[in-house]
Amino acid sequence: MLGLGTMGRGIAGVVAAAGEDVRAYDPNVDAAPAGVRLSSSLAEAVDEAELVFEAVTEDVDAKRAILGQLTGEAIVATNTSSLPLEPLSEVVPDPERFLAAHFFNPADLVPGVEVAAGPRTSAETLERTFAFLRHLGKEPIQVKAVPGFIANRLQLVLFLEALACVEEGLAEPEEIDAVVRKTFGFRLGAFGPLAIADMAGLDVYAAILDSLRSAYGERFALPEKLRDLIAEGRLGTKSGAGLRRYPEEELRAMLSRRDETYRRLLAASE
């Protein structure tokens, strides 16, 4: 583990908890998480390692400086989600064994990990990384290596709109957070935004977007993809197809699972 900031400590702790031998290097800290051995040098930390996680500061030059010191045949996984992978892959020993594995804070509790291939990442590297992450009890999800990947691209849009609501004096920050937690955010824990849209009805979403566009401008303009789906009669679960198709038996099972999941979430929140 290279870097023992918030994310580095979390990742190292997850790997150690899975029973793996973990060594870490960070010249700016003098203690490691439980079960993790702190090395006095980068070379000592990565010696004979099969996998190297890098989680130093989110800066291309800082990451290149430490990745460029690596030797050996380990898979190298950077925790970035905002930086381009190409300039990082240029300095590692073998770009075929380099990729991004983006954990979320707190690393021991959030199950998902975004995995993105670099320009030359091999299929074997992806397979081995997916297998190791599953061994850690994580749920790896492969995404494209674009700025922000998927998670940060989505959550930063929500953050900007939430901040705009604060700036406009619509509510206090705690009230805005409560709206998210107690309404659509309550459902996002069980289903993603696209499945929720299908359940609500894409035609309903289109009508809402028309109102928002009138009030707030072109950032709420109806996307061409949504227009096309509605024109094809793909309105969501009520028509048997929306952004995805819903065979009748699968739809019944999904809606039953939805209601049971929401009941459990409600009970837990109370």
Side-chain angles (χ1 to χ4, degrees), residues 223-255:
E224 184 176 350
K225 177 68 174 179
L226 186 55
R227 291 182 189 275
D228 291 343
L229 288 170
I230 293 172
E232 294 169 16
R234 297 181 56 156
L235 306 181
T237 56
K238 61 187 175 185
S239 67
L243 284 151
R244 52 166 292 192
R245 297 189 181 278
Y246 299 93
E248 188 173 344
E249 286 190 14
E250 181 182 332
L251 176 58
R252 284 200 300 268
M254 186 183 84
L255 295 179

Side-chain angles (χ1 to χ4, degrees), residues 74-94:
I75 290 174
V76 179
T78 177
N79 190 56
T80 189
S81 72
S82 64
L83 300 177
L85 297 188
E86 186 168 3
L88 304 181
S89 70
E90 292 172 349
V91 299
V92 296
D94 182 357

Side-chain angles (χ1 to χ4, degrees), residues 204-215:
V204 174
Y205 268 39
I208 296 170
L209 281 170
D210 278 342
S211 295
L212 294 177
R213 181 186 183 185
S214 296

Side-chain angles (χ1 to χ4, degrees), residues 99-196:
L99 76 173
H102 177 220
F103 287 73
F104 294 80
N105 187 37
D108 60 326
L109 297 178
V110 181
V113 178
E114 290 181 309
V115 178
R120 292 173 52 191
T121 307
S122 70
E124 180 186 1
T125 295
L126 285 168
E127 291 169 6
R128 290 177 61 193
T129 303
F130 265 63
F132 186 74
L133 291 171
R134 291 187 179 112
H135 166 63
L136 299 181
K138 297 302 178 183
E139 298 179 21
I141 308 154
Q142 188 168 355
V143 300
K144 297 289 187 182
V146 296
F149 296 170
I150 291 177
N152 277 335
R153 183 170 172 179
L154 293 176
Q155 70 178 356
L156 266 294
V157 170
L158 174 58
F159 167 73
L160 289 174
E161 284 297 326
L163 189 60
C165 290
V166 173
E167 291 178 331
E168 293 167 21
L170 304 183
E172 293 299 315
E174 56 270 25
E175 294 169 333
I176 293 170
D177 281 344
V179 168
V180 174
R181 288 188 294 107
K182 298 297 184 180
T183 60
F184 69 89
F186 176 84
R187 301 177 299 183
L188 285 173
F191 296 93
L194 302 182
I196 290 172

Side-chain angles (χ1 to χ4, degrees), residues 15-80:
V15 180
E20 300 296 337
D21 177 27
V22 185
R23 288 169 289 175
Y25 173 71
D26 189 326
N28 300 311
V29 301
D30 54 14
V36 178
R37 287 184 296 157
L38 190 62
S39 299
S40 59
S41 69
L42 183 148
E44 179 185 64
V46 303
D47 183 43
E48 298 184 353
E50 294 182 43
L51 190 151
V52 174
F53 283 114
E54 172 274 307
V56 301
T57 186
E58 192 73 348
D59 175 82
V60 169
D61 291 336
K63 289 184 182 294
R64 280 173 60 92
I66 198 163
L67 293 174
Q69 299 178 53
L70 296 178
T71 59
E73 299 181 355
I75 290 174
V76 179
T78 177
N79 190 56
T80 189

